[in-house]
């Protein structure tokens, strides 16, 4: 009997459901305890410092085309849809997470976001962390200072004192989350795949809205155990002709339905993600033994393999590991329109996948609309036909 596809669990929580649930919880926390909320847009932001301040981090990245028209009143039309959607939700007052955020923190990962944060600052206090765009000893020292500046901003904003021990405790807790997240995502290594990539990506992205870190960690552990148990009982040892795919490139939340769900319904399994919310950010922990916790944080976050880094050899190294350990048969790269850094870097990814790993590669440039769904479906079907299982 062949493994013929994966179903979502009965209690599966969609992205929109998780978002709505978190919004209601946030509203309750604000009203009952005056909880402090810090909204952010990027995995470069050291959430350990936010937790150490007593505040709660929440993701603000937009993923809907519905807020884009409001953004285009102030932003150019040919800008990245993630930037426009994020700003549109803020300026139209339709993003509850932005509304409840006491502080918004941005970063200099691209020129479009950088300039958008200037406009966002007119709506709400927006603090921007300056990133070095290369990896070196000087970069680590520089980002350590940026972390200390961010710490001072939070102390001033919330009238608190953040001690080194508070930061160390937050590091320990966030490392625990990274371990749980890695174990969850590594279920994609099992053959045949026991969990859909749609579920993997949705649970990770929806986690950015979860305000209870302990509950988030426990939820990941419980789901991981359930997946492994189900695999051993129902999938282990069964053959499968479903291609195993790696998805890389830009954040794909806004394209989840038309690419991620679509390709799995066509007969493939997405087993691993190499993007902002993928497994690569869980592979390196913050060094808990370093007597300087701010140096330890800088070292960890400077390993983030974002395309803003130049050169960005680490991304290739991690992809090499993922392809081998997740038994990948093909790679899909998703590029959001006007994301120039990922678009240029796709040249290296394509050459690596095709020439070094000898695997099929597909590059899809898209936005958050469904207007290109038919064209994408045709390309995905043609791509899957090139994979020999």
């Amino acid at each position: 009997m062949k493994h013929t596809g994966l179903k979502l669990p009965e209690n599966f929580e969609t992205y929109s459901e998780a978002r709505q649930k978190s919004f209601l919880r946030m509203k309750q926390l604000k009203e009952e305890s005056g909880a402090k909320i810090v909204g952010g847009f990027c995995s470069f932001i050291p959430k350990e410092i936010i937790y150490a301040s007593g505040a709660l981090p929440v993701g603000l990245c937009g993923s809907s085309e519905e807020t884009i028209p409001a953004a285009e009143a102030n932003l150019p039309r040919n800008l990245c849809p993630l930037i426009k959607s994020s700003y549109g939700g803020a300026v139209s007052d339709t993003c509850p997470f932005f509304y409840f955020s006491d502080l918004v923190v941005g970063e200099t990962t691209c020129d479009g976001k950088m300039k958008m944060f200037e406009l966002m600052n007119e709506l709400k206090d927006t603090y921007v962390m300056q990133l070095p765009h290369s990896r070196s000893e000087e970069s680590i020292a520089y980002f350590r200072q940026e972390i200390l500046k961010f710490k001072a901003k939070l102390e001033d904003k919330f009238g608190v004192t953040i001690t080194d021990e508070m930061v160390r405790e937050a590091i320990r807790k966030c490392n625990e989350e990274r371990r749980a997240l890695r174990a969850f995502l590594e279920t994609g290594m099992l053959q045949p795949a026991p969990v859909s990539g749609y579920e993997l990506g949705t649970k990770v992205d929806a986690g950015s809205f979860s305000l209870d870190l302990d509950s988030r960690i426990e939820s990941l552990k419980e789901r991981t155990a359930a997946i492994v148990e189900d695999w051993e009982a129902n999938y282990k040892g069964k053959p499968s002709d479903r291609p195993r795919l790696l998805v890389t490139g830009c954040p794909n939340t806004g394209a989840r339905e038309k690419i991620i769900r679509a390709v799995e319904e066509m007969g493939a399994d997405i087993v691993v993600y190499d993007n902002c919310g993928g497994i690569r950010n869980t592979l390196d922990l913050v060094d808990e033994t370093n007597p300087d916790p701010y140096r330890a944080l800088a070292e960890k976050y400077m390993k983030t393999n974002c395309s803003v880094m130049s050169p960005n050899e680490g991304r290739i190294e991690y992809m090499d590991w993922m392809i081998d350990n997740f038994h990948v048969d093909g790679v899909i790269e998703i590029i959001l329109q006007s994301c120039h850094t990922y678009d240029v870097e796709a040249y290296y990814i394509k050459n690596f996948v095709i020439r070094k790993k000898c695997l099929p590669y597909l590059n899809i440039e898209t936005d958050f609309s469904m207007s290109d769904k038919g064209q994408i479906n045709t390309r995905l079907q043609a791509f899957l036909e090139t994979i020999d299982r």
Side-chain angles (χ1 to χ4, degrees), residues 374-388:
Q375 179 191 58
I376 288 175
N377 281 346
T378 300
R379 296 187 64 203
L380 287 173
Q381 290 170 340
F383 173 68
L384 294 181
E385 291 174 2
T386 68
I387 300 177
D388 183 15

Side-chain angles (χ1 to χ4, degrees), residues 357-369:
K357 305 306 289 186
C358 300
L359 293 176
Y361 166 90
L362 175 66
N363 183 302
I364 298 176
E365 182 178 0
T366 189
D367 57 15
F368 290 168
S369 75

Side-chain angles (χ1 to χ4, degrees), residues 127 140-150 294 298:
Y127 181 83
I140 292 173
Y142 177 88
F143 197 57
R144 178 184 179 277
Q145 289 302 118
E146 282 297 302
I147 292 173
L148 288 172
K149 291 178 183 177
F150 182 44
Y294 309 102

Side-chain angles (χ1 to χ4, degrees), residues 217-235:
I217 293 171
E218 187 59 30
S219 174
L220 286 167
K221 290 180 178 179
E222 289 178 357
R223 182 57 184 143
T224 301
I227 290 170
V228 173
E229 181 180 0
D230 183 49
W231 177 77
E232 291 179 342
N234 300 306
Y235 295 102

